[in-house]
C-alpha cells in the first residue's frame, strides 16, 4: 500500500495544531476536520451556519483540488455542528449544493466546537 503523502495548499485553511490538511494513503485522500477559516487571515468567516458551511466547503475543496480531485470523488463525510437541531437544515442545503448524486455517505453530529458553527472532514477515492 505504501506510505503517506501530505497534501498542503495555501488555498485552504492552514492547520492550527499538529495535523496535516490532507493525507494520501493508497487510493484514498483523507482531509482533516476543517472549519470556516479564511486561508489568508486565519479568521472565522461568517456569522451563521450557511456562510460558515460555504467557507468550510471551499477549504475542503482546495485540499481535494491540490491533489487533482473534486467533490465528486468524496465517498464519506463527517460533520460536526455546534447547534445540531437549530442549524441542520441550513447547513444541509449548502452542503448538498456541492455534490451530485449519489451523495457521499455522511455522519452528522452535534459537537462542542471552538468558536465555529461547523467542522467537516472528507474521505475521497482517487483510484479511477
Amino acid at each position: 500500500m505504501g506510505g503517506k503523502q501530505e497534501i498542503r495548499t495555501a488555498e485552504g485553511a492552514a492547520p492550527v495544531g499538529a495535523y496535516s490538511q490532507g493525507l494520501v494513503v493508497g487510493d484514498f485522500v483523507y482531509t482533516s476536520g476543517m472549519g470556516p477559516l479564511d486561508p489568508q487571515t486565519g479568521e472565522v468567516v461568517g456569522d451563521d451556519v450557511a456562510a460558515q458551511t460555504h467557507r468550510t466547503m471551499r477549504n475542503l475543496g482546495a485540499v481535494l483540488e491540490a491533489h487533482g480531485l473534486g467533490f465528486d470523488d468524496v465517498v464519506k463525510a463527517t460533520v460536526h455542528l455546534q447547534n445540531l437541531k437549530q442549524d441542520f437544515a441550513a447547513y444541509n442545503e449548502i452542503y448538498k449544493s456541492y455534490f451530485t448524486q449519489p451523495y457521499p455517505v455522511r455522519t452528522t453530529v452535534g459537537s462542542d466546537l471552538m468558536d465555529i458553527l461547523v467542522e467537516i472532514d472528507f474521505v475521497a477515492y482517487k483510484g479511477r
Side-chain angles (χ1 to χ4, degrees), residues 70-83:
F71 289 105
D72 285 342
D73 298 301
V74 175
V75 296
K76 172 136 180 45
T78 303
V79 181
H80 298 264
L81 294 176
Q82 179 73 28
N83 304 303

Side-chain angles (χ1 to χ4, degrees), residues 1-8 20-32 63-69 122-127:
M1 182 160 147
K4 300 181 285 188
Q5 174 191 352
E6 183 178 21
I7 301 172
R8 287 179 164 224
S20 300
Q21 287 175 312
L23 289 176
V24 180
V25 181
D27 286 338
F28 291 92
V29 170
Y30 300 85
T31 72
S32 290
V63 174
L64 295 172
E65 189 176 302
H67 196 67
L69 301 177
F122 289 155
V123 177
Y125 182 67
K126 68 178 191 75

Side-chain angles (χ1 to χ4, degrees), residues 46-112:
D47 294 329
D48 62 24
V49 76
Q52 288 195 13
T53 300
H54 272 302
R55 178 70 259 172
T56 299
M57 295 295 281
R58 286 193 291 271
N59 287 339
L60 288 160
V63 174
L64 295 172
E65 189 176 302
H67 196 67
L69 301 177
F71 289 105
D72 285 342
D73 298 301
V74 175
V75 296
K76 172 136 180 45
T78 303
V79 181
H80 298 264
L81 294 176
Q82 179 73 28
N83 304 303
L84 181 62
K85 288 181 183 180
Q86 172 186 320
D87 288 343
F88 182 85
Y91 131 78
N92 191 56
E93 278 303 306
I94 303 303
Y95 172 93
K96 181 171 68 171
S97 72
Y98 284 83
F99 295 103
T100 57
Q101 292 187 25
Y103 299 119
V105 298
R106 178 179 78 187
T107 301
T108 305
V109 298
S111 295
D112 186 13

